[in-house]
Amino acid sequence: MTDRRLVGGRLDYPGVGATENGRPPAGYSCLVSQVYLGDGVALYRRVAHGILTWELQRRSGLRVRAESDVVRPGTRVVSGFGVGPFRINAPCEVVWVRRPVPGEGPQSAGFGYGTLPGHPARGEEAFEVEIDATGRVFLQITAFSMPANWFYRAGGLVTRAAQRHITSRYVEGARQLAAGES
């Protein structure tokens, strides 16, 4: 990585890393979505690879610019959605990563990233794929957030609807990865 950062600023919320340990900070709304994707180690590894190479974000319809093609702690990424003057850019920094381990036992892989100045929200979002002891594979998306400023607070219903919509797009992207679709 070069000395030039994709975006500037610092993580702008309390509880950095909380999506990994499950305790969102007080005052932040929390959303946890879990969906069954199928069965088997091969499926688990396909989805894990897609999560850890930004493919999940791309398949959800986001434009992704990242400092690294592989998710790493400290990597900065700007995801964008919308078109023209209605494009919203969402700068984030990866705060934790869990990679798949060898073997077939229960495990999970994924990452969490937190918001940077310029993001419409303050908080963190995590994307994890888990395989249980019976070989069932699940996607879990965990997010805690609050609007970054008065403008996004004023559009609370629209902001929550947008978050639900993008979560459904992540789920669809994970299903594509699970199915091995290119």
Side-chain angles (χ1 to χ4, degrees):
M1 190 180 317
T2 66
D3 288 343
R4 271 180 74 117
R5 300 299 314 243
L6 180 63
V7 294
R10 295 175 181 237
L11 296 167
D12 60 357
Y13 61 94
V16 172
T19 55
E20 186 175 27
N21 66 32
R23 293 222 174 259
Y28 282 70
S29 63
C30 188
L31 170 71
V32 178
S33 299
Q34 186 175 48
V35 296
Y36 169 75
L37 296 175
D39 296 282
V41 174
L43 184 150
Y44 165 76
R45 295 200 182 283
R46 272 195 311 275
V47 176
H49 178 77
I51 289 173
L52 295 172
T53 58
W54 307 111
E55 189 61 26
L56 181 65
Q57 277 73 13
R58 288 186 182 92
R59 286 177 185 250
S60 71
L62 297 175
R63 179 182 295 169
V64 178
R65 291 183 301 129
E67 294 175 338
S68 171
D69 292 338
V70 177
V71 175
R72 294 185 174 99
T75 298
R76 292 191 170 195
V77 59
V78 177
S79 300
F81 61 93
V83 292
F86 302 105
R87 174 166 297 284
I88 294 176
N89 289 312
C92 294
E93 180 178 320
V94 176
V95 296
W96 64 265
V97 177
R98 189 175 314 113
R99 301 205 180 284
V101 296
E104 297 186 10
Q107 59 178 292
S108 67
F111 74 95
Y113 57 15
T115 60
L116 294 167
H119 195 292
R122 285 194 178 119
E124 201 168 284
E125 191 166 31
F127 309 89
E128 294 180 86
V129 60
E130 176 185 349
I131 185 167
D132 69 14
T134 65
R136 297 181 332 151
V137 179
F138 297 89
L139 172 73
Q140 181 167 303
I141 300 170
T142 305
F144 66 84
S145 65
M146 68 170 37
N149 59 41
W150 69 267
F151 179 78
Y152 292 109
R153 240 182 329 277
L157 289 175
V158 173
T159 303
R160 285 189 292 283
Q163 186 176 35
R164 283 191 305 274
H165 175 72
I166 194 65
T167 298
S168 73
R169 300 290 304 144
Y170 287 138
V171 168
E172 180 55 33
R175 287 187 172 133
Q176 291 172 12
L177 291 167
E181 295 177 16
S182 53

